[in-house]
Amino acid sequence: MQTVELITKKRDGGKFSSEEISWLIENYTHGNIPDYQMAALLMAIYLRGMDERETSDLTLAMARSGEQLRVNTQISPVVDKHSTGGVGDKVTLAVAPLVAACGVAVGKMTGRGLGHTGGTVDKLESVDGFHVELSREDFMRILHDHQIVLAGQSAELAPADGKLYALRDVTGTIESIPLIASSIMSKKLAVGASHLLLDVKFGSGAFMKTIEQARQLAQAMVDIGRAAGLHTVAAITSMEQPLGRAIGNAIELAEAIDILRGNGPADVSELCYHEAAELLLMTGKAANQAEADQMVAQAIQSGAAVKKLTEVIAAQGGNPQQIERPELLPHAPIRVMLTAPQTGYIAAINAEGLGLASMSLAQAASKKVSLLIIVPA
Ligand code: URA
């Protein structure tokens, strides 16, 4: 098989066979296909799309490109939660410890920022000493001992996605339903949790700009998950404006701590509590919505939720004092207050613009600047 033949096939609107997809992923993972050819292929997929069968084959080939943990064969249930990416989206940072505090194990492999959206791994790394690169043994040990583990993309798990993700980030090929669906679901299948809650974002700050596109992406991922025997549910939620008030690694972690203490901004707190309750319902830990809501409220009020975050931070080498006292997290050295030139009402917020501004600030000041939105009551 020649890579160039497959590039022209997709460029001209053709469909890949299962064997062609396996060949492409295997050879790209092993360095036999150069990035310039894979970039051309990604652009052809971006422009021409993939059907359901091709997307499913691509996902399975990427999941098979490395080790497969199958966490739920050793502990069950193990839940996973994944957002398709947004601006100010610190939901995973709050939902994972909240659910674990309610007695359901959370095994999560999480990503870095992509395009204008932030990544959970980058936010967690605001804590001194916290490490996300875990061996298979460490992943399983921490999950077993603490019922929660928050690992980054490892070289062993879905390595094809690691390479493709980085290439898509710099080749204008992020916003493609088959590429997003296969990227997310290959990691989920490689970890092998028993239950998955997907938070599919739409709107200005999301990759999917319309609710219809988000619905298509959600359906593609739910179909892949269910076909693979993974209990998968998707929530479609708005990213028309940033979630909460903080955009930036350390200040988003601080806001997640506020949410776990019951003091977070109303919009993002409500979303986190709702998603945590959904996971309790999905796994049967709660019998009905009222019981799930009650368990979540109890974990917040008792302090168990924030304690669980502190516990996993310490288990992964981080400084737990920075969770107990978030003022110890890194601060931007320069703070500037931008005030509106006149009194008025905010009719809309350009979430993508704020995400891009936050990225530029971080690049300009070696990641020591972040954006905090303060809207007077
Ligand atoms: N998150 C992922 O893991 N992959 C994508 O392509 C987009 C969001």
Side-chain angles (χ1 to χ4, degrees):
M1 233 175 276
Q2 291 284 332
T3 312
V4 67
E5 285 166 15
L6 297 177
I7 297 171
T8 50
K9 181 174 189 179
K10 188 45 84 180
R11 183 199 65 192
D12 297 340
K15 288 192 196 313
F16 291 142
S17 68
S18 306
E19 293 71 34
E20 285 168 339
I21 290 175
S22 295
W23 183 88
L24 276 168
I25 293 304
E26 204 179 311
N27 280 284
Y28 183 58
T29 309
H30 292 110
N32 303 329
I33 297 177
D35 276 352
Y36 56 83
Q37 283 193 307
M38 193 45 99
L41 188 90
L42 287 172
M43 187 54 82
I45 295 173
Y46 178 93
L47 295 171
R48 291 296 194 165
M50 278 184 145
D51 68 15
E52 205 179 302
R53 198 263 314 145
E54 288 175 293
T55 308
S56 167
D57 285 343
L58 179 61
T59 310
L60 296 176
M62 283 161 67
R64 279 195 311 261
S65 67
E67 252 191 282
Q68 294 184 271
L69 280 179
R70 301 189 201 286
V71 288
N72 75 330
T73 54
Q74 295 175 46
I75 301 170
S76 190
V78 178
V79 302
D80 195 349
K81 179 259 155 204
H82 194 95
S83 162
T84 55
V87 179
D89 184 355
K90 66 278 301 171
V91 173
T92 296
L93 293 171
V95 169
L98 188 44
V99 171
C102 293
V104 174
V106 182
K108 172 124 186 76
M109 201 167 87
T110 186
R112 294 208 178 268
L114 185 66
H116 63 278
T117 69
T120 302
V121 160
D122 305 308
K123 296 169 198 177
L124 286 164
E125 283 180 345
S126 310
V127 178
D128 296 336
F130 186 84
H131 53 88
V132 291
E133 277 165 32
L134 302 177
S135 66
R136 182 195 180 104
E137 290 68 37
D138 284 344
F139 188 101
M140 289 313 298
R141 180 182 50 75
I142 295 169
L143 179 60
H144 185 269
D145 293 352
H146 303 280
Q147 292 75 54
I148 178 169
V149 59
L150 301 169
Q153 168 92 45
S154 82
E156 291 104 50
L157 282 166
D161 178 58
K163 289 184 79 177
L164 288 170
Y165 195 84
L167 195 57
R168 286 169 55 216
D169 200 18
V170 292
T171 53
T173 52
I174 296 175
E175 299 91 343
S176 146
I177 290 178
L179 294 179
I180 297 177
S182 55
S183 164
I184 293 177
M185 294 307 290
S186 63
K187 289 178 283 217
K188 305 294 123 188
L189 298 184
V191 171
S194 54
H195 297 73
L196 170 65
L197 177 62
L198 295 162
D199 185 352
V200 183
K201 303 281 186 206
F202 70 92
S204 150
F207 295 128
M208 300 292 105
K209 298 299 177 203
T210 66
I211 195 163
E212 195 36 54
Q213 290 170 333
R215 196 166 281 132
Q216 283 176 27
L217 175 60
Q219 193 62 59
M221 293 193 289
V222 168
D223 289 346
I224 295 169
R226 291 191 177 161
L230 171 57
H231 183 142
T232 311
V233 168
I236 298 174
T237 66
S238 173
M239 187 36 68
E240 283 296 3
Q241 60 183 58
L243 278 171
R245 293 180 170 178
I247 306 170
N249 295 336
I251 57 172
E252 284 194 44
L253 178 58
E255 195 166 81
I257 296 167
D258 283 343
I259 296 165
L260 291 174
R261 288 181 174 153
N263 304 325
D267 63 337
V268 64
S269 298
E270 193 185 323
L271 181 59
C272 292
Y273 303 159
H274 182 80
E275 292 197 354
E278 181 62 38
L279 280 163
L280 299 180
L281 281 171
M282 278 170 73
T283 52
K285 187 75 184 172
N288 52 47
Q289 188 72 49
E291 193 184 338
D293 291 343
Q294 169 62 28
M295 287 170 78
V296 167
Q298 173 65 22
I300 300 287
Q301 280 154 22
S302 66
V306 77
K307 199 163 159 234
K308 195 48 105 175
L309 178 64
T310 314
E311 188 182 323
V312 67
I313 292 287
Q316 292 184 221
N319 177 1
Q321 286 182 356
Q322 287 176 302
I323 306 301
E324 283 152 13
R325 296 177 51 210
E327 64 278 15
L328 299 177
L329 287 166
H331 283 293
I334 304 167
R335 292 180 163 219
V336 180
M337 176 79 82
L338 300 178
T339 48
Q342 65 191 63
T343 309
Y345 293 95
I346 296 173
I349 299 182
N350 178 349
E352 182 172 8
L354 288 177
L356 290 169
S358 179
M359 260 173 75
S360 312
L361 284 171
Q363 279 156 3
S366 47
K367 308 197 173 172
K368 290 213 164 39
V369 179
S370 41
L371 217 59
L372 186 61
I373 307 165
I374 301 174
V375 183

